[in-house]
Amino acid sequence: YASIGARRRFIEALDKFTAAVAGQAQDRAQNYIRNIDEYFLIRRDTLGAGPAFAVLEFGLNLPDEVFEDPVIRTLTNVCIDLIILGNVQ
């Protein structure tokens, strides 16, 4: 069973993923190459870690405040950045 907050975070993460993939496709169509900061901003969402992390939250039943905490958000971004760096081909 997933809490309402966990379901909402999953849907929001999936929306961000879809928008980022569309943005990446637009970049390719326009031959636009992002700088490193822009790349990480979009890659965090195109990686798909957000929806995957949200699924992991389903059984935790923690209050929304935990996931909205700035420290937790920063740690989540650091984890995603490490996945990105490890996924370089």
Side-chain angles (χ1 to χ4, degrees), residues 3-80:
S3 68
I4 292 171
R7 286 181 279 176
R8 179 184 43 76
R9 282 187 295 279
F10 174 75
I11 292 168
E12 288 171 358
L14 204 54
D15 283 345
K16 286 176 74 176
F17 169 77
T18 304
V21 169
Q24 192 176 48
Q26 184 177 17
D27 288 349
R28 276 195 305 276
Q30 296 176 351
N31 292 319
Y32 178 72
I33 298 174
R34 292 174 178 264
N35 66 39
I36 192 73
D37 292 328
E38 293 171 331
Y39 172 78
F40 269 87
L41 284 175
I42 197 165
R43 186 66 178 127
R44 283 181 186 137
D45 293 327
T46 62
L47 183 68
F53 287 175
V55 169
L56 295 174
E57 297 172 14
F58 282 2
L60 297 179
N61 293 320
L62 294 172
D64 290 341
E65 294 80 24
V66 171
F67 298 103
E68 294 166 3
D69 185 273
V71 173
I72 298 299
R73 287 183 181 254
T74 299
L75 287 171
T76 301
N77 281 339
V78 168
C79 290
I80 292 171

